[in-house]
């Protein structure tokens, strides 16, 4: 049974949740998937980094990270340089990339992932940027090296949407999809239905760590548009930028609109959609009024959902409730199992 | 690229839809999954059978079946005997088994599938009986022969529930599930909400070919209980008989109950559930009153749904709308692709 050497670039909530989950699932990975693993590199923005080809104690790394103390004491070698340098030196078989990313160009995540693939690693990320900006080039590079570029956790947290499409819907052609893909706005709309003001709802979303300190990326529909672009790019094999998504946020939906909808038995939702039309794909993000017979009507709080319409099945909906860092971490673990199972050795 | 020799035992609506779908997807199967196929055997209850190792013309077989004319003219050899004899002689690599089945013991489907596996074929069925009665023995036999026993279409038509669990949720442990798994009763309840009587609703379901001429298996909850037993047996790895499911049908729900619920903004649904408790599994099928915030509230007509609760994700719901013979056929095609991909050669 081969031992997989793992490296973590980015070791915040998601990275730590992933390492915890790997520890918890060590026995299942061995017994059901013939995967043994060891940790050979960890790097975090405020933690510095550690590399040790003989293995780093995962519990030690978690302890230091939780205490916000430098990882250097765990390292077998002195380390300088940026994320790319870390990837080049870590000697791993699999890189988990979860660093802060620019949505403008997907950097530095794209460079991290490219370096990993060039070094012969599987490259797994929860960052949407690389999918939107470099899906085709990273996928081609991975194929060339007999490795995988994977990103299940970029849309709907760790709920399996990419792997469902890839593994469970062979030969299907996606005609259109529709869903709720941004947790923050869905939570805000839910809280407003419960009587909170827009500002109170945003503040609450920030408090529980769902919304950024500047929540405009969510509220104006940018995060949803990036996810739509990622789904279109991968599931429809049609490269689409977030800018090409017809986008309208929830900033026009006040308490009055929410309460009026409620009186009519309806709900405002920030609905994402994309459809193949005339050889192209038309995509949009905008608030819609939904009635109780809509599959998306019951999707409340931070839950998300997507309905896939293909040429082989009737509309197929997936709904994910109660996501969190562990959910995102699980998507990364799923990617690990898939990558190892399908790699060309 | 290996040529897969396919045989169809049972060639009614589903078998014909599958062969049609295979013809439609020949190019995708070749390009995306390296699968070439030919038809070497077909047998139907009222059609007799045909075997030809050099290949049977699929369009010819479809034409005869649609005209309800015997398949014998397509056969390279005289044939006598039952389904087991057909399987033993057809020389296929893959058997699609879709014959009428007894829910008492899963026969003759179990014998057909066992014979197929013993002859070194992948054994794929849309029959629930073999899953409930022989899952472990057929799976063990398949493993022994390096082949697969597969049955995606037995629950929720061809919507990927078994493959989602197998391929997309590695290392997960299923704690409980809840869903709507019987199309006939869900359609009847929907029609009653639209003002039809119970009898009119049953008659309509029979007319469109969803309900049997004796609809009691659906109405009393037996079909749902068989599906619950299949899900528990496979996804929870806990063999459970339909008799062990606490079962209550919709026969107690009259027009009055349905309309009263409607006035209260609620809906009756025949809800299936199972949960691990004290090392065992407790399962039930019974009518429940649901409100609009329930994921199952919007599941109308012949649609079905299931929510999976595991130790790695929040509740994950799959909803399938508008099933039909093509949907069931697609589940069988998905099984074919999975079997070939994962077979130990």
């Amino acid at each position: 049974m081969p031992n997989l050497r793992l490296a973590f670039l980015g070791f915040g909530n998601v990275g730590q949740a992933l390492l915890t989950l790997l520890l918890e699932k060590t026995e299942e990975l061995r017994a059901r998937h013939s995967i043994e693993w060891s940790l050979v590199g960890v790097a975090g923005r405020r933690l510095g980094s550690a590399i040790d080809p003989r293995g780093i104690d995962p519990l030690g790394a978690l302890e230091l990270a939780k205490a916000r103390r430098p990882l250097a004491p765990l390292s077998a070698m002195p380390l300088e340089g940026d994320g790319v340098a870390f990837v080049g030196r870590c000697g791993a078989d699999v890189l988990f990339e979860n660093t802060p990313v620019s949505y403008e160009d997907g950097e530095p995540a794209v460079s991290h992932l490219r370096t990993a693939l060039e070094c012969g690693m599987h490259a797994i990320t929860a960052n949407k940027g690389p999918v939107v900006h470099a899906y085709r080039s990273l996928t081609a590079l991975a194929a060339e090296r007999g490795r995988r570029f994977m990103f299940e956790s970029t849309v709907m947290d760790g709920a399996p949407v990419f792997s469902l499409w890839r593994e469970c819907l062979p030969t299907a052609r996606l005609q259109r999809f529709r869903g709720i893909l941004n947790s923050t706005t869905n939570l805000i709309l839910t809280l407003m239905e419960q009587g909170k003001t827009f500002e109170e709802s945003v503040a609450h979303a920030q408090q529980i760590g769902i919304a950024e300190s500047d929540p405009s990326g969510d509220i104006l529909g940018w995060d949803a548009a990036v996810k739509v672009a990622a789904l279109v790019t991968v599931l429809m094999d049609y490269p689409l930028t977030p800018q090409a998504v017809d986008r309208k946020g929830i900033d026009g939906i006040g308490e009055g609109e929410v309460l009026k909808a409620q009186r009519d038995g309806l709900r405002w939702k920030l609905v994402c959609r994309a459809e193949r039309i005339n050889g192209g794909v038309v995509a949009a993000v905008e608030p819609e009024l939904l009635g109780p017979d809509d599959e998306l009507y019951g999707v409340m709080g931070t839950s998300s959902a997507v309905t896939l319409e293909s040429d082989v099945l009737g509309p197929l909906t997936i709904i994910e409730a109660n996501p969190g860092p562990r959910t995102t971490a699980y998507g990364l673990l799923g990617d690990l199992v898939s990558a190892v199972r399908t790699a060309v050795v």
Side-chain angles (χ1 to χ4, degrees), chain A residues 6-91:
Chain A
L6 310 182
F8 287 60
L9 177 51
F11 200 55
N13 285 342
V14 169
Q16 293 172 41
L18 173 59
L19 190 53
T20 307
L21 189 60
L22 282 163
L23 287 166
E24 186 184 323
K25 293 292 188 182
T26 295
E27 188 44 46
E28 283 85 354
L29 287 167
R30 184 184 295 134
R32 292 203 233 162
H33 303 284
S34 302
I35 292 175
E36 293 272 6
W37 64 274
S38 65
L39 181 66
V40 297
V42 197
R45 195 162 32 154
R46 282 183 285 261
L47 303 167
S49 59
I51 292 179
D52 190 339
R54 293 161 311 175
I56 294 169
D57 172 27
L59 290 174
L62 284 168
E63 207 172 299
L64 289 175
K66 283 188 206 313
R68 303 186 183 209
R69 286 167 52 199
L71 297 162
L74 299 176
S75 195
M77 56 187 81
L79 272 172
E80 280 186 21
D82 59 5
V84 168
F86 170 83
V87 177
R89 292 197 59 190
C90 71

Side-chain angles (χ1 to χ4, degrees), chain A residues 57 80 128 142 184 216 246-247 276 297 330 334:
Chain A
D57 172 27
E80 280 186 21
K128 292 177 285 291
T184 301
S216 61
D246 191 8
R247 182 185 46 77
R276 289 188 197 275
Y297 179 85
Y330 180 68

Side-chain angles (χ1 to χ4, degrees), chain A residues 254-330:
Chain A
E255 296 88 7
E257 281 77 14
V258 169
L259 296 178
K260 177 175 184 328
Q262 214 167 13
R263 281 195 302 272
D264 298 341
L266 304 172
R267 281 180 183 152
W268 283 104
K269 294 287 180 193
L270 186 62
V271 175
C272 300
R273 33 169 98 242
E275 180 165 16
R276 289 188 197 275
I277 293 176
N278 297 331
V281 173
V282 173
V285 171
E286 63 179 331
E288 282 184 28
L289 265 181
L290 308 184
D293 281 339
D294 196 293
E295 307 83 42
L296 303 180
Y297 179 85
V299 178
M300 303 299 280
T302 57
S303 298
S304 57
V306 71
T307 300
L308 305 175
E309 289 192 49
S310 70
D311 62 338
V312 290
L313 285 179
L316 185 70
T317 301
I318 323 169
I319 304 173
E320 183 210 22
N322 308 335
R326 184 178 161 92
T327 325
T328 305
Y330 180 68

